[in-house]
Amino acid sequence: KSSIMKSPAKSRNLGSIARSFRREGYNTRFVHGGDLNFTDMSSYLYSTGYAHLSDLKSLDIDAPTGKWGYADDAMAQEFVKQVASTPSPMLATWLTLSSHEPFEVSEHHFEDKMLNAMWFADREIGRVVSALKEQERWANMLVIIIADHAYPYPYGVANYAAERHHIPMLWLGG
């Protein structure tokens, strides 16, 4: 009934892709527009092999913040910038925020706030992928982009249904 992230004594013993990639000489970076101290996430990320963490408190972005931090449009640019400054080979992970309630984003394409936030996040992810593919270093990177957590969309999915708990995650790279 408790998150494994809140138990460093346990989480540091879990298998971890970041730790495995670091052993193979990869630089590891985790970027999030929110607070990585929330639920002891930074301790979890360091213990599982991420060497460089960036979050709301360490970023200086000229953009407004929402309830949970910077929206994905501001973070997309920051993520591309950080990846560009990280030596290859690398594992770079971005935890997005725009698809998190209260679903407040700067542009509107759909009336439904949740659907609109998903559209917004998807568009920004597309921009990140396009920008990263332009870099020569694309051949030597693994990029993981993951949503903050799942939502009952499409609507009507029961809380106990497996579909209710799917979290979008992309694994990309050259």
Side-chain angles (χ1 to χ4, degrees):
K1 294 188 176 189
S2 177
S3 169
I4 192 75
M5 287 193 305
K6 295 178 184 177
S7 301
K10 291 180 180 181
S11 64
R12 73 173 158 255
N13 296 313
L14 293 173
S16 163
I17 190 165
R19 189 180 307 116
S20 297
F21 271 62
R22 261 182 93 179
R23 275 190 230 130
E24 296 299 320
Y26 278 66
N27 290 292
T28 55
R29 177 172 297 279
F30 191 95
V31 180
H32 179 48
D35 182 2
L36 286 177
N37 289 319
F38 184 73
T39 68
D40 207 20
M41 201 176 337
S42 61
S43 172
Y44 171 79
L45 293 166
Y46 279 128
S47 73
T48 57
Y50 283 95
H52 305 284
L53 304 181
S54 297
D55 74 346
L56 177 67
K57 294 180 179 181
S58 65
L59 298 169
D60 185 21
I61 299 174
D62 185 21
T65 56
K67 179 179 179 180
W68 297 104
Y70 291 110
D72 291 347
D73 54 349
M75 289 309 301
Q77 294 173 27
E78 179 65 24
F79 184 69
V80 170
K81 184 174 88 174
Q82 288 196 28
V83 167
S85 68
T86 303
S88 292
M90 82 179 82
L91 164 64
T93 303
W94 174 28
L95 176 61
T96 66
L97 270 179
S98 292
S99 59
H100 192 293
E101 62 78 24
F103 311 113
E104 293 173 349
V105 295
S106 61
E107 294 181 43
H108 302 281
H109 190 73
F110 295 99
E111 284 186 36
D112 182 293
K113 283 183 82 169
M114 186 189 319
L115 183 59
N116 189 69
M118 303 297 173
W119 164 82
F120 183 83
D122 186 61
R123 184 193 68 187
E124 295 307 317
I125 289 167
R127 289 178 175 173
V128 164
V129 173
S130 293
L132 293 178
K133 281 183 171 181
E134 303 257 332
Q135 299 180 17
E136 273 186 44
R137 59 191 26 246
W138 177 255
N140 294 311
M141 72 172 78
L142 171 60
V143 175
I144 299 173
I145 303 173
I146 187 166
D148 192 77
H149 53 74
Y151 281 97
Y153 195 87
Y155 297 115
V157 176
N159 194 42
Y160 57 82
E163 298 86 358
R164 165 66 175 87
H165 302 283
H166 289 186
I167 301 171
M169 178 171 31
L170 299 171
W171 293 51
L172 311 156

